[in-house]
Amino acid sequence: MVRMGNIVTLSDLRAEGVDGQDDRLELLIRWAEQWIEKATGLRFFAHDADYTLDGKSDPVLALPQPIINIDSVEEDGAALTS
């Protein structure tokens, strides 16, 4: 089975106004995701997760996987804004 839609989904494309046949767009999504994973050497997969991280005053925060979307960030229980 070929994975599809871990970086972008057909509904994401539709929401951005992309028009085309579903099967053609799904093929392009698969191609693009494979190209991105090969170019970056990273595997992308979609799932929701909550992480508690401690930066320890280091300017670099090593995350356990590539992050595609961040819904919220809190510090000591208080929500931070961008």
Side-chain angles (χ1 to χ4, degrees):
M1 183 162 110
V2 177
R3 296 176 303 104
M4 197 260 322
N6 291 325
I7 298 173
V8 65
T9 65
L10 187 57
S11 58
D12 292 333
L13 293 180
R14 296 285 183 227
E16 292 296 323
V18 176
D19 193 23
Q21 295 177 333
D22 287 359
D23 57 345
R24 176 70 174 150
L25 294 175
E26 289 170 353
L27 176 68
L28 292 172
I29 290 170
R30 278 195 302 276
W31 175 84
E33 289 183 346
Q34 290 170 358
W35 186 89
I36 290 167
E37 288 181 350
K38 183 177 179 182
T40 63
L42 300 172
R43 298 283 313 233
F44 293 86
F45 54 95
H47 77 281
D48 292 333
D50 292 328
Y51 293 106
T52 300
L53 305 166
D54 182 359
K56 300 184 192 266
S57 301
D58 192 324
V60 176
L61 183 60
L63 300 174
Q65 66 191 41
I67 305 298
I68 296 173
N69 184 51
I70 298 175
D71 293 323
S72 66
V73 177
E74 295 180 1
E75 182 176 18
D76 297 326
L80 301 179
T81 59
S82 57

